[in-house]
């Protein structure tokens, strides 16, 4: 299958089957803004819950946080974002389109020079749309500004956070004092971040409003390398849990000139999306940069005293930083499977191409579909009672329209692991047929045993 073509199909499926819609569509949409539909919100929530469990609640060295999106603007002066969080913007002198210079170079296979103090060697770069001449690059700050209160003056400027990390750093002392933690420990947060991206691209890959999973893991300065490599392993495990194939993952060591201004070591976890190999997540060693800056700007003591040695120092930080929306996109791309010629045995679907979304069970938005073979009243009644029983434990969908073959294929397309079919025999033998999404194997299961059957399957 041609790669970009497969991506268009994933985007279409996402819209048609209620995962992700273009935002504000009835008003013509808004560039790079998307809304998660009924299945998308389930998928995203499942991913978030799994992340929280794996990275926070199942560990003894992690706690969570949910900080404000709009915080004191001094935070972003201290962190360096107001001064440094920018991308190189170029305009086409002919068609007036705007681009990120580094992306244009990357698209031509040239590794751009990220040193912002020097102009880049552009190797005769032209506008990719019309071939026109490009302006020299100017740095464009990505922070989304707003004003608090009735006056729109410099005193009321505030920013929507560009990363969730800021809220963690400024709560370091609160968490330390209230939770009596000892190094090493981490604070995790899931939440929205905002960036006024110059270019947005590839569906939900790069948007202006997005969600992050972030951890700031505080360590003794001399221990950073050990913790960095431990987090690298955990992030790899997370990628595999998501169903991403090992061969589609690349751990890319970022060179000193290309790292974010606060980082002394960064590894990008890149994924081979259908539109190219791109950054999925990042792991950075932020040193004591942030806590030191916040101490300077706030005048507060953000040091840590070792309870045994009584040594006082500023902790260093390892930061696993992951995009929630990019995770959703990678999960969809990895799960999307087309089966040429079909695999169903029903005559009408024979030889037709079938789509199966092979989502890991834990992430599937709908776990079970209840499908009565006919709409006849007594079958519906039994089916609805099975639906309500199963709904006590799992997210279950009911579908009684169209042929059973079509209904199976609808469920395959949205990644539902199991379909329960209730037929006329079910009224006699109190058994139903359970069909497996991946193997298409069918088991006849007693209605009274369904709960324990699915407990085994989902555990
Ligand atoms: N605190 C570090 C930090 O924010 P980053 O590499 O700028 O680092 C971390 O962002 C992750 O957030 C990225 O790896 C990506 O998954 C996600 N991300 C960043 N910008 C994004 C955007 N405009 N749209 C969607 N996801 C984005």
């Amino acid at each position: 299958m041609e790669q970009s073509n497969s991506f268009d199909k994933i985007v279409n499926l996402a819209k048609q089957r209620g995962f992700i819609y273009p935002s504000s569509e009835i008003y013509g949409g808004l560039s790079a803004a998307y809304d998660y539909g009924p299945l998308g919100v389930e998928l995203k929530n499942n991913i978030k819950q799994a992340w929280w469990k794996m990275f926070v609640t199942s560990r003894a060295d992690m706690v969570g946080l949910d900080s404000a999106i709009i915080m004191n603007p001094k935070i972003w002066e201290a962190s360096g974002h107001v001064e440094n969080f920018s991308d190189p913007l170029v305009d086409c002198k002919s068609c007036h389109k705007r681009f990120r210079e580094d992306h244009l170079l990357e698209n031509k296979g040239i590794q751009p020079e990220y040193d912002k103090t020097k102009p880049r060697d552009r190797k005769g770069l032209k506008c990719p749309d019309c071939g026109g001449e490009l302006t020299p690059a100017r740095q464009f700050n990505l922070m989304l500004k707003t004003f608090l209160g009735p006056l729109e003056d410099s005193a009321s400027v505030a920013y929507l956070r560009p990363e969730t990390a800021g809220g963690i750093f400024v709560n370091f002392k609160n968490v330390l004092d209230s939770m009596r933690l000892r190094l090493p420990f981490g604070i995790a947060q899931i939440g929205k971040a905002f960036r006024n991206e110059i270019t947005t691209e590839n569906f939900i890959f790069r948007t202006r409003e997005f969600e992050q999973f972030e951890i700031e893991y505080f360590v003794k300065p001399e221990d950073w390398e050990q913790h960095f490599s431990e987090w690298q392993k955990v992030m790899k495990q997370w990628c595999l849990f998501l169903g991403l194939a090992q061969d589609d993952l690349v751990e890319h060591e970022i060179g000193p000139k290309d790292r974010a201004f606060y980082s002394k070591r960064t590894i990008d976890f890149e994924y081979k999306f259908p539109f190219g190999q791109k950054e999925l997540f990042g792991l950075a060693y932020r040193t004591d940069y942030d806590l030191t800056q916040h101490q300077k700007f706030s005048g507060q003591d953000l040091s840590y005293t070792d309870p045994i040695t009584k040594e006082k120092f500023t902790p260093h930080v390892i930061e696993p930083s992951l995009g929630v929306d990019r995770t959703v996109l990678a999960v969809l791309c990895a799960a999307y499977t087309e089966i040429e010629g079909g695999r169903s045995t029903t005559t009408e679907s024979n030889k037709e191409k079938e789509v199966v979304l092979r989502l890991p069970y834990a992430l599937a938005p709908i776990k079970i579909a209840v499908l009565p073979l006919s709409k006849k009243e007594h079958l519906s009644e039994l089916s609805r009672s099975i639906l309500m029983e199963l709904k006590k434990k799992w997210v279950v969908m009911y579908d009684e329209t169209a042929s059973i073959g079509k209904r199976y294929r609808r469920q395959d397309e949205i990644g539902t692991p199991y379909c329960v079919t209730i037929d006329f025999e079910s009224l006699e033998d109190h058994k139903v047929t359970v069909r497996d999404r991946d193997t298409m194997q069918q088991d006849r299961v007693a209605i009274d045993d369904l709960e324990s059957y699915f407990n085994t399957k989902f555990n």
Side-chain angles (χ1 to χ4, degrees):
M1 194 179 357
E2 209 235 298
Q3 296 218 304
S4 57
N5 184 16
S6 88
F7 190 57
D8 291 345
K9 289 178 187 170
I10 293 166
V11 175
N12 287 338
L13 179 94
K15 182 178 178 203
Q16 280 160 11
R17 306 310 312 272
F19 284 90
I20 300 163
Y21 309 126
S23 182
S24 332
E25 210 179 2
I26 61 166
Y27 286 101
L30 177 70
S31 153
Y34 293 92
D35 298 333
Y36 285 81
L39 298 194
V41 71
E42 294 293 338
L43 172 62
K44 187 154 83 145
N45 282 343
N46 290 342
I47 292 174
K48 288 200 244 180
Q49 277 163 16
W51 187 86
W52 197 255
K53 192 168 175 203
M54 180 163 165
F55 287 79
V56 188
T57 52
S58 70
R59 297 178 58 117
D61 56 350
M62 290 292 308
V63 291
L65 182 82
D66 184 7
S67 71
I69 287 175
I70 300 174
M71 298 185 288
N72 191 316
K74 281 200 185 120
I75 291 174
W76 307 113
E77 286 169 33
S79 68
H81 281 83
V82 171
E83 199 185 335
N84 294 315
F85 195 53
S86 56
D87 282 332
L89 168 71
V90 290
D91 296 89
C92 172
K93 289 183 183 169
S94 305
C95 71
H96 306 294
K97 282 215 175 109
R98 295 198 155 142
F99 305 95
R100 259 179 74 170
E101 188 189 54
D102 51 336
H103 283 176
L104 293 185
L105 289 166
E106 275 167 16
N107 291 345
K108 285 191 154 279
I110 304 162
Q111 202 50 45
E113 168 64 67
Y114 281 84
D115 185 345
K116 287 177 182 166
T117 57
K118 291 191 217 138
R120 289 179 174 82
D121 174 4
R122 304 217 298 214
K123 315 229 187 299
L125 196 68
K126 298 273 184 223
C127 171
D129 283 9
C130 73
E133 203 186 321
L134 297 170
T135 60
R138 55 194 191 281
Q139 289 303 322
F140 173 77
N141 193 287
L142 302 184
M143 301 272 281
L144 266 167
K145 239 187 226 177
T146 188
F147 299 93
L148 299 183
L151 293 178
E152 292 196 4
D153 59 12
S154 57
S156 56
V157 165
Y159 301 95
L160 305 190
R161 64 182 177 200
E163 57 175 15
T164 59
I168 299 180
F169 289 120
V170 298
N171 277 295
F172 169 74
K173 198 170 158 35
N174 280 335
V175 174
L176 189 66
D177 292 348
S178 56
M179 304 302 289
R180 301 176 313 280
L181 296 164
R182 281 192 186 185
L183 292 189
F185 72 88
I187 307 176
Q189 158 150 256
I190 302 178
K192 292 262 183 181
F194 301 82
R195 296 180 189 177
N196 198 5
E197 299 281 0
I198 297 167
T199 50
T200 49
E201 56 193 341
N202 296 322
F203 194 34
I204 54 170
F205 178 80
R206 188 183 310 282
T207 52
R208 298 194 172 96
E209 172 181 345
F210 56 98
E211 256 181 300
Q212 289 185 313
F213 302 114
E214 289 202 300
I215 289 173
E216 305 307 325
Y217 195 74
F218 300 95
V219 300
K220 289 184 181 167
E222 62 273 23
D223 294 341
W224 79 266
E225 277 167 300
Q226 171 210 334
H227 292 293
F228 191 94
S229 69
E230 278 167 15
W231 279 109
Q232 194 179 347
K233 281 186 210 132
V234 177
M235 287 175 79
K236 182 77 184 287
Q237 280 164 16
W238 170 246
C239 292
L240 299 179
F241 164 82
L242 295 171
L244 312 186
Q246 176 112 13
D247 287 352
D248 291 335
L249 289 165
V250 177
E251 286 171 46
H252 179 188
E253 181 82 46
I254 305 296
K257 286 184 185 152
D258 302 347
R259 290 193 289 255
F261 56 90
Y262 48 70
S263 174
K264 272 238 171 97
R265 186 178 176 198
T266 298
I267 288 182
D268 277 354
F269 282 72
E270 296 178 346
Y271 181 67
K272 291 178 189 165
F273 287 98
F275 47 85
Q277 182 178 314
K278 304 263 178 190
E279 175 190 336
L280 180 59
F281 310 137
L283 175 64
Y285 168 42
R286 285 179 85 130
T287 68
D288 58 352
Y289 172 82
D290 299 86
L291 289 183
T292 303
Q293 285 293 101
H294 288 303
Q295 293 195 90
K296 255 191 231 157
F297 278 71
S298 68
Q300 302 286 316
D301 178 9
L302 301 181
S303 63
Y304 171 84
T305 305
D306 188 293
I308 297 161
T309 63
K310 306 293 172 213
E311 188 197 355
K312 190 174 164 180
F313 59 93
T314 306
H316 280 220
V317 171
I318 307 297
E319 180 194 62
S321 178
L322 305 85
V324 176
D325 311 84
R326 264 183 214 182
T327 309
V328 172
L329 188 58
V331 164
L332 286 174
C333 293
Y336 184 86
T337 318
E338 276 186 2
I339 298 156
E340 290 295 337
R343 56 178 193 156
S344 304
T345 48
T346 52
T347 35
E348 71 181 291
S349 49
N350 255 353
K351 295 194 173 57
E352 273 179 32
K353 183 164 62 194
E354 287 182 23
V355 170
V356 183
L357 208 55
R358 295 193 194 276
L359 293 169
Y361 286 6
L363 305 185
I366 308 291
K367 301 289 188 257
I368 305 164
V370 170
L371 314 175
L373 205 58
S374 131
K375 282 188 200 160
K376 293 235 161 67
E377 207 181 308
H378 42 313
L379 218 52
S380 294
E381 219 174 274
L382 176 63
S383 305
R384 287 201 179 269
S385 75
I386 294 172
L387 169 78
M388 295 321 288
E389 268 313 301
L390 293 175
K391 260 186 177 291
K392 287 180 187 162
K393 251 189 139 162
W394 295 285
V395 181
V396 187
M397 186 182 262
Y398 188 80
D399 186 4
E400 57 180 17
T401 59
S403 73
I404 193 70
K406 269 201 183 134
R407 280 183 278 164
Y408 281 154
R409 282 192 289 144
R410 269 187 211 152
Q411 295 302 325
D412 289 345
E413 274 183 14
I414 60 171
T416 307
Y418 293 100
C419 291
V420 172
T421 306
I422 297 97
D423 52 34
F424 291 102
E425 238 181 285
S426 307
L427 296 168
E428 309 298 323
D429 67 359
H430 301 283
K431 287 184 177 173
V432 290
T433 303
V434 181
R435 173 197 183 259
D436 182 298
R437 175 194 73 194
D438 299 320
T439 62
M440 297 207 306
Q441 189 191 310
Q442 303 202 350
D443 289 341
R444 195 79 184 156
V445 181
I447 294 170
D448 287 347
D449 294 341
L450 273 177
E451 188 180 338
S452 65
Y453 177 89
F454 286 125
N455 273 338
T456 313
K457 292 290 184 190
F458 291 125
N459 289 332

